[in-house]
Amino acid sequence: MVNVCDIQVMKPLLAEHGFHFSKAKGQNFLIAPWVPQSIALESGVDETAGVLEIGPGIGPLTQQLCLRAKKVCAVEVDNRLKPILDITVGEFDNLEILWNDVLKLDVPALVKEKFGGLRPMACANLPYYITSPILTALLEADCFDSVTVMVQKEVAQRIAAAPGSADYSAFTVFCQYYAEPELLFDVPAHCFMPQPKVTSAVIQLRVRKERNWDVLDEDIFFRTVRASFAMRRKKLSNGLASGFPELGKAGAAEVIEAAGFDVNVRGETLSIPEFARIANEIVKRHG
Ligand code: SAM
């Protein structure tokens, strides 16, 4: 197997094919072999798994996934990488590469078509410029057992944040609504070529089989969350009145009290079940 994390191997390979890194496509490739090995190991991928990888690059994580999974589907937008991937991962007959923009794919349909009978998992070293839209698509697809990804460390911290902390955000609530996050390990910038300006971290999102809260209307729930964080330094009543003009200030205060909270409560301190109580009161009045 070609050691794609070895710069002595990789540099001539890239030069031979006239490849130049694209900053716009988030191309920071792994050059420390322990990283793709650890991501694949910690992801829990095994011979029962069908794995969706986003952005194989020149294939360091792809190799590790192919060694463990029953099937790997890798989606790569940059087809200049084709001749290089032919060399680095061409030997794996459990790999299919789709030359496409992951954001243009119908993920649930793809999973159904490619991974019938297998345990669907997603695993990737993500292109950081589209971390949020990719994670949104993977979680909303609601068809993976788990999603294990490398992202910027600060994004990982935001995803795993607790209510009331500085990192807690609407994106935290979105991710934790669908999945339970676990921070796995940090990856320093020197593990990549070219080096990114930030530290990275690997996080696992284990998709919830059951959601132990009662949400009457998901659209209203997520609107409530976004309205709360849009004015996070202010009281929840201000955020709700602005996000739901139909409530007005008095209506927003009534909703908060009917849900069992002090009228001065701040949205950034609320847990998912607590946001659900507020959203359900809005549905009861205006749904
Ligand atoms: N997996 C490789 C590694 O760990 O060395 C490369 C990771 S690199 C951070 C991100 C990869 O995502 C690049 O190969 C890039 O071309 C690819 N990519 C960027 N935008 C994409 C998109 N919209 N759809 C699919 N792949 C994309």
Side-chain angles (χ1 to χ4, degrees):
M1 199 166 74
V2 182
N3 182 357
V4 291
C5 287
D6 183 341
I7 305 188
Q8 309 305 327
V9 174
M10 180 180 147
K11 273 193 166 165
L13 193 65
L14 294 177
E16 192 186 318
H17 294 92
F19 181 86
H20 297 285
F21 294 98
S22 160
K23 215 173 167 182
K25 290 191 173 73
Q27 288 176 342
N28 301 92
F29 292 170
L30 284 167
I31 51 165
W34 69 269
V35 181
Q37 279 168 18
S38 305
I39 297 174
L41 191 70
E42 300 252 356
S43 72
V45 162
D46 61 20
E47 68 286 351
T48 67
V51 185
L52 177 67
E53 185 193 2
I54 293 126
I58 63 169
L61 181 58
T62 320
Q63 289 180 334
Q64 295 301 320
L65 294 172
C66 286
L67 289 171
R68 293 170 170 82
K70 181 79 174 173
K71 176 154 190 195
V72 177
C73 245
V75 183
E76 175 57 64
V77 78
D78 188 349
N79 54 21
R80 296 176 305 154
L81 290 162
K82 189 167 185 322
I84 302 167
L85 281 170
D86 282 345
I87 296 166
T88 59
V89 292
E91 73 207 66
F92 293 105
D93 55 15
N94 59 345
L95 171 66
E96 186 175 346
I97 301 178
L98 306 175
W99 297 97
N100 212 329
D101 175 345
V102 67
L103 297 177
K104 296 197 172 131
L105 295 178
D106 178 341
V107 175
L110 179 88
V111 166
K112 207 168 164 195
E113 182 193 334
K114 307 290 181 191
F115 301 143
L118 298 175
R119 186 162 63 103
M121 302 176 89
C123 190
N125 170 14
L126 289 181
Y128 294 168
Y129 74 106
I130 43 172
T131 298
S132 302
I134 293 178
L135 282 178
T136 300
L138 295 179
L139 292 174
E140 279 183 344
D142 217 3
C143 57
F144 294 102
D145 243 37
S146 64
V147 173
T148 307
V149 283
M150 177 136 64
V151 296
Q152 287 184 40
K153 185 175 179 180
E154 62 182 46
V155 176
Q157 285 169 329
R158 194 147 22 101
I159 291 170
S165 65
D167 288 331
Y168 195 55
S169 68
F171 192 57
T172 312
V173 176
F174 172 81
C175 292
Q176 294 190 15
Y177 181 86
Y178 286 102
E180 244 178 305
E182 186 187 352
L183 293 169
L184 295 179
F185 54 89
D186 289 354
V187 179
H190 64 73
C191 294
F192 300 83
M193 192 170 108
Q195 290 193 20
K197 291 198 172 67
V198 293
T199 298
S200 300
V202 178
I203 186 164
Q204 181 161 64
L205 290 147
R206 281 186 297 275
V207 174
R208 297 181 192 277
K209 302 262 180 287
E210 282 176 31
R211 296 177 193 141
N212 293 326
W213 44 77
D214 182 27
V215 169
L216 295 178
D217 180 323
E218 282 193 351
D219 286 343
I220 298 285
F221 172 81
F222 286 118
R223 250 180 88 191
T224 303
V225 172
R226 284 194 300 273
S228 307
F229 285 100
M231 303 179 106
R232 66 179 291 151
R233 302 273 161 252
K234 298 203 170 166
K235 291 190 295 185
L236 176 61
S237 55
N238 293 315
L240 285 187
S242 152
F244 294 89
E246 63 273 33
L247 287 178
K249 272 213 148 186
E254 272 175 37
V255 160
I256 292 167
E257 287 191 316
F261 298 99
D262 185 285
V263 73
N264 292 318
V265 71
R266 286 177 188 275
E268 69 202 22
T269 65
L270 299 181
S271 65
I272 294 178
E274 289 173 335
F275 274 119
R277 270 161 49 197
I278 306 255
N280 289 347
E281 281 303 324
I282 298 175
V283 174
K284 280 184 209 157
R285 278 147 214 260
H286 294 274

